[in-house]
């Protein structure tokens, strides 16, 4: 039981005193970057899916 208490105490000390938290503006910039990258990735995957679907439809229609 004492080990668990020490673990939580040490964890709390680490989080409150030793962790360097980013500023809100840095979080906004990072979130925007992730959002834009996710949208670009989704569009690329959608385009690849569309091209494969169209290619397979042409292939199947040739028979």
């Amino acid at each position: 039981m004492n080990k668990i208490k020490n673990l939580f105490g040490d964890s709390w000390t680490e989080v409150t005193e030793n962790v360097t938290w980013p500023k809100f503006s840095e979080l906004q910039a990072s979130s925007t970057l992730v959002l834009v990258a996710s949208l670009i990735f989704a569009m690329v995957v959608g385009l690849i899916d569309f091209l494969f679907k169209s290619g397979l439809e042409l292939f199947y229609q040739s028979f």
Side-chain angles (χ1 to χ4, degrees):
M1 183 72 169
N2 197 24
K3 289 182 179 182
I4 294 174
K5 186 177 177 181
N6 286 340
L7 173 67
F8 283 111
D10 291 343
S11 298
W12 182 255
T13 302
E14 183 75 24
V15 167
T16 57
E17 296 177 12
N18 299 333
V19 173
T20 304
W21 296 99
K23 292 182 176 29
F24 186 70
S25 60
E26 294 172 344
L27 291 174
Q28 284 181 315
S30 297
S31 297
T32 302
L33 179 65
V34 168
L35 178 64
V36 169
S38 298
L39 290 173
I40 291 171
F41 183 74
M43 286 190 285
V44 168
V45 170
L47 178 65
I48 291 170
D49 181 54
F50 175 76
L51 292 173
F52 271 110
K53 178 184 172 195
S54 299
L56 286 174
E57 284 177 352
L58 287 172
F59 177 73
Y60 289 139
Q61 286 176 0
S62 66
F63 291 107

